[in-house]
Amino acid sequence: MLALVAPSILFMALFFVAPLGLFLFRSVDNSEVPGWLPRTVAALSSWSGAGLPEEPAFRALAEDLAALSGSTALPLLGRRLNHDVPGFRTLITATGNRVDPARRGSMREQLIGIDPRWGEPLYWQTIRRERHALTWFYLLSALDLRYGAAGGLERAPVESAIFLDLLGRTLGISAVVTLICVLLGFPVAATMAGSSPARANALLILVLVPFWTSLLVRSTAWVILLQNQGVVNQALVGLGVLEKPVPLIFNRLGLYIAMVHVLLPFMVLPLYSVLKGIRPELMRAAASLGAAPWTAFLRVYVPQALPGLVAGASLVFVLALGYYITPALVGGPGDQMIGYFIAYFTNTAVNWGMASALGTILLLVVTLIYLALGRIVGLERLAVR
Amino acid sequence: MAHPPPITALEQASHVAIRILTVLVLAYLVLPILVILPLSFTSGELLIYPLPAWSLRWYRELATSPLWTRATWNSIVLAVVTTLVATTAGTLAALGLQGLRSRLKPALYGLLALPLVIPPVMVAVALFYYYARLGLVGSFWGLVLAHTVLALPFVVITIAATLQGFDVNLPRAAAGLGASPLQAFRKVTLPIILPGVVSGAVFAFVTSFDELLVILFVGSPEQRTLPRQLWSGVSETMTPAVAAAAVVLISVSLILMAVVEWLRRRSDRLRAGASHP
Amino acid sequence: MPKPSRLWIALVVALTAWTGIAHAQTKLVVGNAGGSSADAERKVFYGPFAAANKIQIQEESFNQELAKLRSQVETGNLIWDMVSTTAINVATGCEEGLLEKIDWSKYMDPKVFQDVGGLSECGVPYLFVSGGLAYDGNRIKEGPKTWADFWNVTKWPGKRGMLYRAEQTFEVALMADGVPPPKAMEVLAAPGGVDRALKKLEALKPNIHWWKNGAESITLLSSGEVAMAYAWNGRVASANKTNNLNLKMELGAGHVSGCQYWAIMKGSKNKELAIKFIQYAVSAQPQADFVRVISYGPANRDAYALLTDQEKATLPAKHMDKASLQLGKLYLGFWLANGDALLQRFVKFAAQ
């Protein structure tokens, strides 16, 4: 029996869990520094971090950098350290290409002669701080935090602290989209649940059509429709609602329109399946017991609808959080969500530590929501027996 | 089973309001997809109404342009192979899990459903790093396995749902009559769960056919699929060929959805019929 | 079994022959940014070269995602042969061992590229893009003459389109603040330069409409949604030609100009063929043809002699003294070191 499940489990383990695990690990992976500066790291481990280290550390660095000279490791090390301190990249590459540990004399003098920045504590402190195989640097940066000069944690300078804003924006957009989906989806699901089977079926098909159409195609449709001369603007101007076309795309409004469209079926379908099971006799019973219709609705209908509402809303919210395609096609520069930056750091900035850190935080938020969902709705209801 | 009829004027008003809202929302859901249909038949270069004239030129471009034909071919091949692998593995998994009486069961189900809850962009990026290390970026089988992993949850869940009503005594009876496990599966189990298997296969096909992000990050130029080509079209030069491609994708999805729906109703009917004395 | 008919045999033979031919053709894979630039490149470079040499040129999408180069080179799984890329990425890619280091002076005369910064160790410039002040001549009769005018929303009310990127936008802000364009990079790299640029941008911020891709900048101008915009000269000229517009550019106000480079991926099996292609693409006649198609400047000085005055109208040749050049040690060093950090500052600034 277990043998039958084995191939699938193997696929999952090798091509899903392992990649994901490695990806998350990259958020703390710091193999570059200890790997490429072994002597320096060893020499700095006994250094207090105050002022400048002693001559042996300079010699160790000279030897390490000289060993890297001519290989691609040198610029990659420079790239890595540049994340900590802008400018480190040129410092590393220039020094590595010019340093000569075999030359007589103080290495300290030689290094500072090549670039005076080696006389500044900041650069040495950075190497010392990043000497371990693991680092908190990326995760801290993703939360707009960093190590202070004194060694404790401090907030990143306000002018470049974008990641908490990004997280907030992502959560905010997802929340608004979820809210709209609830407001629009509830009436639809309720109507479907209260209709005859034939009509409910017809309505269901209308909801399934967009559900089955791929996300990309739907987003594409909105890109076409929301243009300045697109159908929506044309209709609004033609009907006299607007004087001239309004920008509907590459902004937050267009993003909401497209995202709600894409996610609405995920709200309606679970909600409908729950509402379908609510017995109308209970509402009538409440009425016959003297409850006003509004009271009956609030105290009999809604509590029973709640699991469906919560399931649908959580699903919509979590899906919205991780969206990349729709915001990329329909949103403006200020509407990009976490997914965009994960892709940006992966592809363009080639800062895989940051991409992974952002991904880790996203995953954390998603997990927390699912755990909360599990507790509210009751995990058993979601399990397949 | 309608709700109790509205009594007060307020109730009636809110009832009407809800109906109007429902109509509007359903229109909002369906119209965008319908509206781009005619646009794909425009003879002009821009995607605006009114159409200068009707024309098949953009469909002709899809059919003749090597970029689009190659992309379509790649999509089909990849989806078909993924479907075969995912459906086989998924069916076995669903069968195996059904017969499993272990505490591991919910954990295994959870593992198999995991791709549903992880944001797709993260999966794509993670696979990129992973494949980059293994040298699998741009390999066909790498893509097949990636798509299989994304499709497996759908296959397993669909077939598991089908198996819920499955009577395990049937294959046991067949075994009792002398059939080998494989024969029992082929002649007894499979025909009964076939609608579920086909539905699962359809889900797998659609998942692979529509998939974009993994291809974007991990695919090589040779493996450009239809969604990948569509993405280039939308983000770079938007011509009505993009609308035509979108219509093709919509049609494929809807036809397959219709197949699944038909199968579901058929099996519902059969079950309803079977339970009558 | 019935004998296969002659028709079948003929079909199989034809099919094998056809696929055989298709595979036997050498293929050069080029990564480019797609869109109208790629269309022009196809028309002027890829098409004629492929036909003349009986090879196939396959284009792939490359939007300066270094990671794509990295993953190919590091795994030894090279799918692309060459890419069209920016000065910064040529420098980065060269340093990180992603691009082939070639002594280009063996294949072409370095002097003709002097105006645009010369040949790079790993790249050859093939077009010269200028980003500058653009406005709709039909909507604004008395056009702006300087970047300070661009900032003047009282005299010229309306929004301003600007590139959603730190690079180029910061240089322009400094120009508006009175820095002579050739010194803009120097001032930016000096202490306090970035703060000064951001402070100047702050003043204009309520009126800025950010654009991310070139086509958007043109749409913003032509639809009147912005009164003026920072835009790239090739796109402006193409839009005028294709859509009969009257967009004007005031390059004399100061412009940010730089090259797009051809670079060969390290370890490419078609290195010689790629070198031959690049030689072709940067020679005078194809360069002049390219200007005719897409109106970006040529990198090869000799191409100017082959152009008419009208064709040279949107080129910055007369305004090279007002250029902030996207090349040289200062430029590369500064953006290589500070690109990521400044991206964050810029995003933060734009979001507030």
Side-chain angles (χ1 to χ4, degrees):
Chain A
M1 275 296 131
L2 201 57
L4 292 179
V5 196
S8 293
I9 301 292
L10 204 65
F11 282 148
M12 280 298 174
L14 283 180
F15 293 96
F16 190 79
V17 178
L20 214 58
L22 256 100
F23 173 68
L24 294 176
F25 174 67
R26 266 193 189 271
S27 60
V28 293
D29 181 21
N30 192 41
S31 47
E32 296 99 332
V33 175
W36 287 329
L37 295 177
R39 303 179 193 85
T40 318
V41 158
L44 288 180
S45 55
S46 53
W47 175 48
S48 67
L52 288 177
E54 300 297 313
E55 171 70 16
F58 282 86
R59 173 159 295 279
L61 182 67
E63 286 170 6
D64 279 334
L65 288 181
L68 295 177
S69 165
S71 76
T72 57
L74 188 65
L76 290 178
L77 175 66
R79 178 193 272 279
R80 163 64 187 89
L81 288 170
N82 204 64
H83 296 146
D84 279 75
V85 183
F88 223 136
R89 184 187 175 119
T90 38
L91 179 60
I92 292 284
T93 45
T95 310
N97 287 327
R98 288 161 62 182
V99 76
D100 180 8
R103 208 165 69 192
R104 304 186 137 274
S106 153
M107 280 299 123
R108 181 185 172 128
E109 270 175 35
Q110 197 191 139
L111 282 176
I112 296 185
I114 295 176
D115 193 312
R117 283 181 286 180
W118 288 121
E120 286 171 42
L122 173 64
Y123 296 90
W124 288 102
Q125 283 163 349
T126 306
I127 299 180
R128 175 177 172 274
R129 202 185 61 225
E130 301 293 345
R131 68 184 187 280
H132 302 293
L134 300 178
T135 179
W136 287 116
F137 173 72
Y138 300 113
L139 284 170
L140 287 175
S141 302
L143 293 171
D144 290 333
L145 295 169
R146 64 176 189 183
Y147 285 108
L153 285 182
E154 69 178 19
R155 308 190 98 180
V158 175
E159 69 246 9
S160 20
I162 55 170
F163 295 111
L164 284 178
D165 288 345
L166 180 63
L167 188 60
R169 183 199 307 165
T170 309
L171 289 168
I173 293 179
S174 306
V176 171
V177 168
T178 306
L179 188 62
I180 300 178
C181 282
V182 169
L183 292 174
L184 295 183
F186 195 84
V188 175
T191 309
M192 281 166 63
S195 306
S196 63
R199 179 172 288 177
N201 236 336
L203 296 179
L204 184 62
I205 291 181
L206 288 181
V207 175
L208 285 179
V209 164
F211 181 68
W212 273 81
T213 314
S214 88
L215 166 68
L216 174 61
V217 169
R218 281 184 280 168
S219 306
T220 305
W222 282 110
V223 172
I224 297 175
L225 294 175
L226 292 173
Q227 297 170 76
N228 266 350
Q229 339 92 295
V231 174
V232 179
N233 263 321
Q234 276 185 314
L236 289 174
V237 170
L239 288 173
V241 177
L242 292 174
E243 250 178 46
K244 59 173 199 153
V246 170
L248 289 174
I249 198 175
F250 305 131
N251 57 27
R252 195 61 66 92
L253 177 59
L255 182 61
Y256 285 147
I257 295 176
M259 279 184 78
V260 167
H261 183 259
V262 166
L263 290 166
L264 201 48
F266 289 100
M267 181 78 226
V268 172
L269 292 174
L271 190 52
Y272 168 58
S273 69
V274 167
L275 293 183
K276 209 165 63 161
I278 298 182
R279 296 179 307 166
E281 303 93 65
L282 293 173
M283 293 283 281
R284 275 182 234 143
S288 73
L289 284 169
W294 194 239
T295 319
F297 177 73
L298 275 179
R299 299 187 63 178
V300 178
Y301 194 73
V302 170
Q304 293 183 74
L306 211 55
L309 256 166
V310 170
S314 313
L315 188 58
V316 167
F317 189 75
V318 167
L319 287 175
L321 281 181
Y323 265 6
Y324 170 74
I325 295 175
T326 311
L329 289 180
V330 180
D335 304 315
Q336 298 311 314
M337 298 161 72
I338 278 194
Y340 172 82
F341 279 88
I342 294 179
Y344 171 80
F345 278 117
T346 300
N347 279 330
T348 313
V350 199
N351 184 345
W352 295 353
M354 265 324 282
S356 171
L358 288 175
T360 307
I361 291 181
L362 177 62
L363 208 55
L364 221 66
V365 174
V366 168
T367 311
L368 286 173
I369 294 174
Y370 273 125
L371 285 179
L373 165 69
R375 301 198 85 202
I376 296 176
V377 173
L379 216 46
E380 323 85 55
R381 296 190 69 155
L382 298 172
V384 184
R385 238 160 266 292
Chain B
M1 289 205 293
H3 290 296
I7 311 166
T8 67
L10 180 63
E11 259 204 326
Q12 263 193 314
S14 58
H15 227 258
V16 170
I18 290 184
R19 297 237 157 161
I20 294 180
L21 188 58
T22 305
V23 169
L24 288 176
V25 171
L26 287 172
Y28 167 59
L29 278 179
V30 175
L31 282 182
I33 301 171
L34 294 180
V35 163
I36 63 171
L37 243 72
L39 282 174
S40 62
F41 292 104
T42 180
S43 64
E45 308 252 333
L46 295 174
L47 287 156
I48 50 173
Y49 284 110
L51 304 181
W54 296 90
S55 155
L56 282 177
R57 76 182 262 210
W58 300 108
Y59 286 96
R60 242 177 291 142
E61 176 167 328
L62 279 190
T64 54
S65 155
L67 274 177
W68 288 105
T69 47
R70 193 78 211 273
T72 313
W73 177 248
N74 284 340
S75 283
I76 295 176
V77 171
L78 184 58
V80 166
V81 179
T82 302
T83 305
L84 289 172
V85 178
T87 311
T88 315
T91 310
L92 292 176
L95 286 171
L97 279 171
Q98 187 219 24
L100 205 64
R101 245 160 286 281
S102 145
R103 267 195 305 206
L104 277 181
K105 200 155 136 177
L108 289 176
Y109 266 122
L111 175 63
L112 291 174
L114 211 50
L116 292 176
V117 304
I118 309 285
V121 70
M122 272 186 64
V123 177
V125 167
L127 278 170
F128 171 66
Y129 294 159
Y130 190 67
Y131 281 7
R133 258 218 188 143
L134 297 177
L136 281 175
V137 174
S139 94
F140 175 74
W141 285 103
L143 281 180
V144 169
L145 289 165
H147 276 194
T148 301
V149 153
L150 291 175
L152 262 179
F154 294 102
V155 178
V156 172
I157 291 177
T158 312
I159 300 182
T162 315
L163 285 174
Q164 292 232 348
F166 180 69
D167 186 358
V168 288
N169 291 313
L170 290 170
R172 264 187 231 149
L177 289 169
S180 74
L182 188 59
Q183 278 178 317
F185 175 72
R186 261 182 54 216
K187 306 247 161 150
V188 180
T189 313
L190 191 56
I192 300 180
I193 63 169
L194 196 60
V197 172
V198 172
S199 295
V202 169
F203 273 113
F205 186 86
V206 171
T207 305
S208 170
F209 201 71
D210 283 344
E211 206 280 324
L212 171 68
L213 286 172
V214 169
I215 305 279
L216 204 56
F217 281 87
V218 167
S220 84
E222 261 87 42
Q223 287 136 2
R224 243 177 197 227
T225 58
L226 209 48
R228 174 75 182 82
Q229 194 58 34
L230 189 61
W231 168 262
S232 291
V234 181
S235 24
E236 290 157 26
T237 27
M238 183 78 108
T239 69
V242 164
V247 169
V248 169
L249 282 171
I250 293 173
S251 315
V252 169
S253 303
L254 291 184
I255 292 173
L256 291 174
M257 164 196 139
V259 166
V260 169
E261 263 303 294
W262 177 75
L263 280 173
R264 190 184 61 81
R265 282 172 207 215
R266 187 168 161 276
S267 78
D268 278 353
R269 257 182 296 133
L270 287 177
R271 265 180 230 229
S275 63
H276 285 177
Chain C
M1 280 237 323
K3 269 208 285 214
S5 73
R6 281 218 179 131
L7 185 59
W8 273 116
I9 299 175
L11 230 76
V12 169
V13 169
L15 201 68
T16 4
W18 175 77
T19 47
I21 292 174
H23 282 219
Q25 245 197 350
T26 324
K27 202 166 57 167
L28 192 67
V29 183
V30 180
N32 63 36
S36 48
S37 299
D39 291 338
E41 287 170 20
R42 202 173 307 129
K43 196 164 164 195
V44 176
F45 302 139
Y46 310 147
F49 184 80
N53 290 275
K54 301 217 189 332
I55 61 152
Q56 204 193 346
I57 294 190
Q58 183 175 317
E59 297 169 57
E60 285 312 317
S61 170
F62 178 64
N63 277 305
Q64 308 310 316
E65 302 112 332
L66 264 187
K68 286 204 175 145
L69 303 184
R70 195 80 177 259
S71 69
Q72 287 182 49
V73 173
E74 275 177 12
T75 58
N77 186 17
L78 216 58
I79 307 166
W80 297 355
D81 294 305
M82 45 181 284
V83 289
S84 155
T85 186
T86 62
I88 294 179
N89 280 340
V90 166
T92 317
C94 203
E95 213 177 42
E96 293 180 12
L98 305 175
L99 304 171
E100 286 279 353
K101 289 194 169 109
I102 296 177
D103 181 11
W104 291 102
S105 60
K106 285 204 295 203
Y107 304 98
M108 49 199 75
D109 181 7
K111 286 206 294 293
V112 300
F113 301 102
Q114 241 166 22
D115 292 341
V116 295
L119 302 169
S120 167
E121 216 183 351
C122 293
V124 178
Y126 74 94
L127 68 80
F128 190 67
V129 185
S130 297
L133 211 171
Y135 61 95
D136 190 345
N138 289 340
R139 290 179 209 263
I140 298 183
K141 293 296 172 239
E142 197 197 315
K145 292 269 171 283
T146 66
W147 282 106
D149 289 343
F150 190 89
W151 253 248
N152 188 344
V153 287
T154 334
K155 186 157 178 212
W156 288 279
K159 289 212 174 258
R160 307 291 195 256
M162 294 218 80
L163 171 62
Y164 188 73
R165 203 187 292 175
E167 193 243 343
Q168 294 171 57
T169 305
F170 282 1
E171 287 98 316
V172 160
L174 287 177
M175 288 185 210
D177 203 35
V179 177
K183 295 258 173 280
M185 211 42 242
E186 224 180 277
V187 172
L188 187 62
V194 174
D195 293 322
R196 185 173 168 185
L198 281 170
K199 193 157 159 229
K200 190 71 185 170
L201 283 169
E202 186 73 51
L204 189 62
K205 190 136 148 267
N207 294 296
I208 296 183
H209 183 123
W210 299 107
W211 56 267
K212 254 174 47 187
N213 70 61
E216 217 189 317
S217 64
I218 302 299
T219 319
L220 289 173
L221 280 170
S222 60
S223 67
E225 212 170 309
V226 301
M228 304 177 202
Y230 173 83
W232 292 317
N233 61 344
R235 293 216 178 242
V236 170
S238 292
N240 282 341
K241 202 157 60 174
T242 329
N243 299 330
N244 224 3
L245 298 173
N246 187 19
L247 302 178
K248 294 206 158 96
M249 280 197 86
E250 188 52 64
L251 291 174
H255 54 102
V256 181
S257 295
C259 290
Q260 196 76 354
Y261 295 75
W262 293 121
I264 304 182
M265 306 263 312
K266 189 157 180 103
S268 162
K269 292 190 182 53
N270 289 313
K271 191 167 107 172
E272 297 306 319
L273 186 59
I275 294 178
K276 203 166 161 201
F277 170 79
I278 295 174
Q279 271 182 301
Y280 169 76
V282 300
S283 52
Q285 186 60 54
Q287 286 271 296
D289 291 335
F290 192 64
V291 174
R292 290 194 184 100
V293 173
I294 191 150
S295 315
Y296 280 132
N300 185 337
R301 188 169 59 194
D302 292 340
Y304 276 106
L306 302 169
L307 295 169
T308 67
D309 278 336
Q310 198 198 21
E311 282 159 350
K312 288 191 246 187
T314 39
L315 300 184
K318 286 204 183 65
H319 301 286
M320 286 309 279
D321 57 331
K322 296 282 194 308
S324 171
L325 291 173
Q326 291 168 301
L327 43 85
K329 233 172 141 207
L330 180 63
Y331 170 81
L332 290 175
F334 178 75
W335 287 110
L336 253 152
N338 299 298
D340 290 340
L342 287 180
L343 167 86
Q344 282 187 225
R345 275 194 79 175
F346 178 77
V347 167
K348 177 79 181 202
F349 162 78
Q352 279 167 327

